[in-house]
């Protein structure tokens, strides 16, 4: 890569790293894994930087790379759930869920229970603010698939949170 490309990439990286890291955290629910996912996405982008002709499409390419890295990582054998002999005791709450305000922690814990592809769709739709067509393009699937994954993901998230999840869009 020539010096000009290196400089352009460094500027792009500086402008996007925090957003990509936060998006990765929403995809995986762990800051250490989010850092790893963001690094994988940026390394992949860096390798292809000199081939990118349309710089306006760079964000879409980076998002797609990040989501694919997240889904691939979730399939690794060491990421699978493990059986334990004794389940932890559930939290007891005096107030009903309807009377509580959902916290960020509740949302992150709820997202952890949503399967990776559904989680990716929810993060891209509601955090990144993409429309159905853009999510379909990022994930390489049909718009109908995005809609069904959104519906299933929201149902899983509602169940995990134990409350009605309001969505707009």
């Amino acid at each position: 890569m020539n010096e000009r490309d290196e400089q352009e990439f460094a500027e792009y990286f500086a402008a996007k790293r925090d957003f990509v890291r936060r998006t990765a955290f929403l995809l995986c629910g762990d800051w250490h894994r989010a850092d790893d996912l963001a690094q994988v996405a940026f390394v992949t982008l860096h390798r292809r930087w000199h081939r990118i002709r349309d710089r306006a499409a760079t964000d879409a390419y980076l998002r797609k790379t990040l989501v694919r890295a997240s889904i691939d990582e979730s399939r690794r054998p060491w990421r699978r759930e493990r059986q334990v002999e004794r389940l932890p005791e559930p939290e007891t709450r005096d107030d009903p869920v309807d009377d509580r305000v959902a916290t960020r922690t509740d949302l992150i814990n709820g997202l952890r229970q949503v399967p990776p592809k559904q989680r990716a769709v929810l993060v891209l739709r509601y955090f990144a603010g993409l429309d159905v067509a853009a999510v379909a393009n990022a994930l390489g699937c049909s718009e109908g698939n995005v809609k069904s994954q959104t519906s299933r993901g929201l149902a899983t998230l509602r169940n995990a949170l134990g409350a009605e999840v309001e969505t707009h869009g």
Side-chain angles (χ1 to χ4, degrees), residues 52-68:
I52 298 174
R53 294 182 186 164
D54 182 11
R55 294 288 192 223
T58 306
D59 288 349
Y61 180 80
L62 185 61
R63 264 193 312 273
K64 189 175 210 173
T65 304
L66 181 65
V67 169
R68 286 182 176 172

Side-chain angles (χ1 to χ4, degrees), residues 67-85:
V67 169
R68 286 182 176 172
S70 173
I71 291 171
D72 288 347
E73 180 66 18
S74 71
R75 293 177 178 158
R76 306 257 188 246
W78 56 84
R79 295 286 183 212
R80 294 190 185 128
E81 293 181 36
R82 297 184 185 122
Q83 292 183 352
V84 295
E85 290 185 29

Side-chain angles (χ1 to χ4, degrees), residues 19-30 34-35 37-38 66:
F19 179 77
V20 170
R21 186 172 178 255
R22 285 190 308 268
T23 302
F25 176 75
L26 290 173
L27 289 169
C28 69
D30 177 86
D35 288 336
L37 292 174
L66 181 65

Side-chain angles (χ1 to χ4, degrees), residues 109-134:
N109 289 337
L111 279 172
R112 284 185 180 132
Q113 296 178 40
V114 177
K117 188 165 183 181
Q118 293 173 11
R119 185 179 329 139
V121 169
L122 294 179
V123 169
L124 293 176
R125 287 278 288 130
Y126 299 107
F127 175 73
L130 300 180
D131 61 13
V132 173

Side-chain angles (χ1 to χ4, degrees), residues 152-169:
R152 291 180 188 134
L154 287 173
T156 304
L157 185 58
R158 282 184 191 106
N159 190 31
L161 294 176
E164 187 66 26
V165 177
E166 291 185 32
T167 59
H168 305 286

Side-chain angles (χ1 to χ4, degrees), residues 1-12 46 49-50 55:
M1 207 179 332
N2 64 37
E3 191 174 321
R4 190 177 122 241
D5 284 344
E6 284 290 345
Q7 181 62 31
E8 285 179 2
F9 180 81
E11 290 170 6
Y12 182 82
H46 186 263
W49 188 258
H50 66 282
R55 294 288 192 223

